[in-house]
Amino acid sequence: MGKEGRIRQSYYDAFTAILPEDFAYKGRSKQPPNDPLNALISFGNSMMYRGVLSEIYRTQLDPTISYLHEPSTKRFSLSLDLAEIFKPLIVDPLIFSLVNRKALTLKHFDMLEEKMCYLNEEG
């Protein structure tokens, strides 16, 4: 997992070359996301997890089993495992497209108590 973490860090560092400066990657923050890019990554990832879990429910698979994440009966680790495959193929290109086409700009985000960044409703 340490090697995977270093590779993922290099991958996220490359976002700076793809996205405009106001969406520059400054480091990954998840709980809570502290800038617009992290808010988009977290939102996209949660949508991907939900979609994968929805499809798992259509099968006979147990959503609490896991290969990469810590298995738990309190979370659906299989959806986390499977979503890892699709996030760089679906979520990240969607973020690049929305930001670079200016469909999402900084006006679409708000800060809560200067700690948490989130998508606003008005945009």
Side-chain angles (χ1 to χ4, degrees), residues 6-99:
R6 287 189 298 278
I7 291 169
R8 185 170 303 279
Q9 181 62 43
S10 295
Y11 173 77
Y12 280 134
D13 287 343
F15 281 28
T16 303
I18 299 168
L19 295 170
E21 193 173 305
D22 39 339
F23 281 87
Y25 179 74
K26 300 174 190 105
R28 186 73 175 103
S29 65
K30 300 176 187 177
Q31 298 176 350
N34 62 6
D35 62 35
L37 179 57
N38 278 296
L40 284 173
I41 293 169
S42 292
F43 179 73
N45 289 350
S46 67
M47 296 301 292
M48 179 59 63
Y49 297 141
R50 188 184 62 77
V52 169
L53 182 59
S54 176
E55 293 303 314
I56 290 171
Y57 279 140
R58 302 173 104 198
T59 71
Q60 298 297 317
L61 296 172
D62 178 358
T64 62
I65 64 171
S66 178
Y67 296 97
L68 299 174
H69 294 84
E70 187 68 30
S72 170
T73 57
K74 295 181 180 181
R75 73 174 181 182
F76 303 113
S77 301
L78 184 58
S79 67
L80 298 175
D81 287 356
L82 293 175
E84 290 295 326
I85 298 164
F86 297 106
K87 290 187 316 188
L89 301 172
I90 297 171
V91 175
D92 299 342
L94 182 59
I95 291 170
F96 301 151
S97 176
L98 290 171
V99 171

Side-chain angles (χ1 to χ4, degrees), residues 110-116 118:
D110 285 325
M111 292 293 290
L112 181 65
E113 298 178 8
E114 302 302 318
K115 294 180 183 178
M116 182 175 88
Y118 63 96

